[in-house]
Amino acid sequence: MKYILCGLILIMSFTAQSKTIEEVRSAFIYQLSKFIEFAKPIDKGVQFCFFNDESGPALSLMNRKELLSHNKEIVVNIIKNFSNVTELNLNCNIIYVDDKSFSAVDAQWLSKIDNNIVVIGETVNFLELGGLAALIKEGNKIKLYINRAKLSESQTKIGSRLLALAKFFPE
């Protein structure tokens, strides 16, 4: 319980200092990484993969060398080619698909991503296509949604304390 409270306090403090929704989402992604037991080795750090470095959560995380997850540095990878799924499967622990990149994603693409990678989007439509999680804006808050079916197939373990805070899709 102590760890979940610390995590929430960090999210709230990070969120309070943030000015944009992208910065809030980057804080959530970072904090989520701490409550996930990755099936893939993280010897070289926790690998965050984004498709957009001009705006969005990647921009907020790129130059934050002081941030650690599982006592490892976070590594931000910018992926320019959606179709190179092999690169994603080899180099990512977390893949974030923002709204600008969402149009390039379909159910077939998501099915090619290994079950040991956490794939996060921003909409219910993303969950319907087979994404594992979504950070959905509801009013002036960001809510974490988890796709039940995808979670049962996933090789990564999401901590029970984090699951207690999430909403599930479908409800």
Side-chain angles (χ1 to χ4, degrees), residues 12-144:
M12 294 170 132
S13 64
F14 199 166
T15 305
Q17 297 170 7
S18 299
K19 296 179 183 167
T20 67
I21 194 75
E22 289 84 9
E23 290 173 323
V24 174
R25 282 193 171 114
S26 70
F28 266 96
I29 296 164
Y30 168 65
Q31 291 299 330
L32 291 175
S33 75
K34 294 178 173 186
F35 293 96
I36 296 171
E37 224 179 279
F38 296 102
K40 248 172 107 157
I42 56 171
D43 299 336
K44 297 178 184 174
V46 179
Q47 305 287 320
F48 291 66
C49 294
F50 299 92
F51 298 102
N52 183 355
D53 63 346
E54 296 169 9
S55 65
L59 199 58
S60 299
L61 291 170
M62 285 177 82
N63 299 315
R64 302 287 307 270
K65 298 296 182 199
E66 76 279 6
L67 297 178
L68 300 175
S69 180
H70 300 278
N71 293 319
K72 303 282 184 183
E73 71 175 310
I74 63 165
V75 179
V76 175
N77 299 311
I78 305 302
I79 308 297
K80 297 295 183 190
N81 185 356
F82 270 94
S83 61
N84 193 346
V85 175
T86 303
E87 179 185 3
L88 296 170
N89 288 331
L90 289 173
N91 298 317
C92 305
N93 298 106
I94 295 175
I95 298 172
Y96 187 79
V97 180
D98 63 10
D99 267 352
K100 291 178 182 172
S101 306
F102 180 68
S103 61
V105 171
D106 60 18
Q108 183 179 6
W109 181 85
L110 280 166
S111 71
K112 293 178 184 175
I113 302 296
D114 287 344
N115 285 334
N116 61 6
I117 298 172
V118 177
V119 186
I120 304 171
E122 296 181 351
T123 64
V124 171
N125 291 344
F126 182 79
L127 296 172
E128 289 170 344
L129 288 176
L132 177 63
L135 297 173
I136 299 174
K137 184 178 178 194
E138 293 181 355
N140 61 354
K141 296 180 181 180
I142 298 289
K143 302 273 179 147
L144 171 64

